[in-house]
Amino acid sequence: MCENKTEHQYDKGEIIIHEGSEIKDFTYLKSGLVKLSRKVTDGKDQIISFARPFDFVSLLSIFSSSTYNYTVTALDETIICAIDLEKLKAVALKNGEFTLGLMTRISEATDKIILNNLDIRRKNLKGRIAHVILYFANYIYKNNKFELPISRREIAEYIGMTTENVIRTMSEFRKDRILKFDGKEIEIVNEKLLETISEHG
Amino acid sequence: MCENKTEHQYDKGEIIIHEGSEIKDFTYLKSGLVKLSRKVTDGKDQIISFARPFDFVSLLSIFSSSTYNYTVTALDETIICAIDLEKLKAVALKNGEFTLGLMTRISEATDKIILNNLDIRRKNLKGRIAHVILYFANYIYKNNKFELPISRREIAEYIGMTTENVIRTMSEFRKDRILKFDGKEIEIVNEKLLETISEHG
DNA sequence: ATCACATTGTGATAATTATCATATCTTTGC
DNA sequence: GCAAAGATATGATAATTATCACAATGTGAT
């Protein structure tokens, strides 16, 4: 089956999958970083989640729908592996072990999305921003100093708050010496406090 | 495999699965209605989703974790079918078709949870309450008149707002002749308007 | 290089939502 | 039946968040 896989490279900002397009392949990330988002009323976007290397991009809807109900956009130079969905299904039909493994991995990934969404929902503005900063530091970059791959507007689209309040709160974190940053270059100075804010607002 | 299934009946309010308990069975709803919830900080609960007959109760974490990270509670008299997870896995390993079907169903269910959560997140207080009322009317009871299976507090735990504001907003909807209700007996009077509120706040 | 446009940044004000207080009404356990 | 606890209800006030307005900076296209 892996002989049937094709690789595609995308530049930062390029759209990899368009919302509404037909699902032909099962895809996963070989390198880079992507965001999953969807269009909501009045032309705004809502960011659903981010995916790292070896995360599946084909998550939602891959087996339950014929079209994507979300857009996948590269946030960095990204290489995607695509496997023809029909061929994958043919293998899955014959190989229960493979399918069970696949199901486990998809289950893990959707679990994370759901729990992350629930966590964000129960937090207030400050807690949500602390959550996002910690998410990129701990989960994506594994470093307290990193280059934020998204704009303040995209943070807002992810946490469901306004861009102005994201900027304002980050400025406040800077004033309080919790963060240092220059544009997208971010450093967590007081991780303990940031974690407290993430947990208790 | 279906020979290995056992049925269990639960009364309204009974806990079916305790958060943190070991996952031994794959379970689905034969009849009734349940809520999935989890404990969050300061002893509060957060409702994740509801499940109807033939929905899988074993959703999150079933293949990716050894313990449940959510509680399942009966909201009505409920019958649950349980299939030993090891036996189900054994069948899955041998039967790719079965596993693929199972994966499709789990994928559909988690999709719905994610999309519902995203929808709720982008709406304001009024929109969220309209959303929940319409959810029970259209999706659960398929009737504009129904008995709400949860308290105002539980609505609050589901939509992430305070109980007082849920009550206040519902009273407002009653004053504006959008809803009629007496306790938990609810009737949607102006569905069009309720849908507009759900969509545009 | 420069123009157009998006992003970052900040302040003032309005709108939304939470908190606290208190009352009535239901349900539950004994 | 009655006490206790929880649910529904409503008002006043505080806290949070959004909106609008505007400036400065950065970025991409030509």
Side-chain angles (χ1 to χ4, degrees), chain A residues 3 12 15 34 44 47 50 73 77 83 89 119 127 129 132 137 139 143 159 167-168 170 172 187 189 194-195 198:
Chain A
E3 291 155 21
K12 183 172 176 155
I15 292 179
V34 302
K44 281 183 185 166
I47 293 180
F50 303 96
T73 311
E77 192 164 294
I83 297 163
K89 277 186 180 173
D119 271 337
I129 289 173
V132 173
Y139 187 70
N143 197 321
I159 66 173
I167 291 168
R168 221 187 298 276
M170 283 181 64
E172 198 179 326
E187 184 182 352
V189 178
L194 198 61
E195 275 163 3
S198 173

Side-chain angles (χ1 to χ4, degrees), chain A residues 46 61 117-118 121 158, chain B residues 46 111 117-119 121 158:
Chain A
Q46 186 175 30
S61 68
N117 273 314
L118 289 169
R121 208 165 80 188
Y158 183 50
Chain B
Q46 186 176 30
D111 262 32
N117 273 316
L118 289 170
D119 271 337
R121 210 165 79 187
Y158 183 49

Side-chain angles (χ1 to χ4, degrees), chain B residues 3-19:
Chain B
E3 291 154 20
N4 290 313
K5 83 167 196 272
T6 57
E7 289 189 3
H8 302 276
Q9 186 169 336
Y10 297 88
D11 290 334
K12 184 174 175 153
E14 257 191 286
I15 292 178
I16 298 168
I17 292 168
H18 281 86
E19 186 171 346

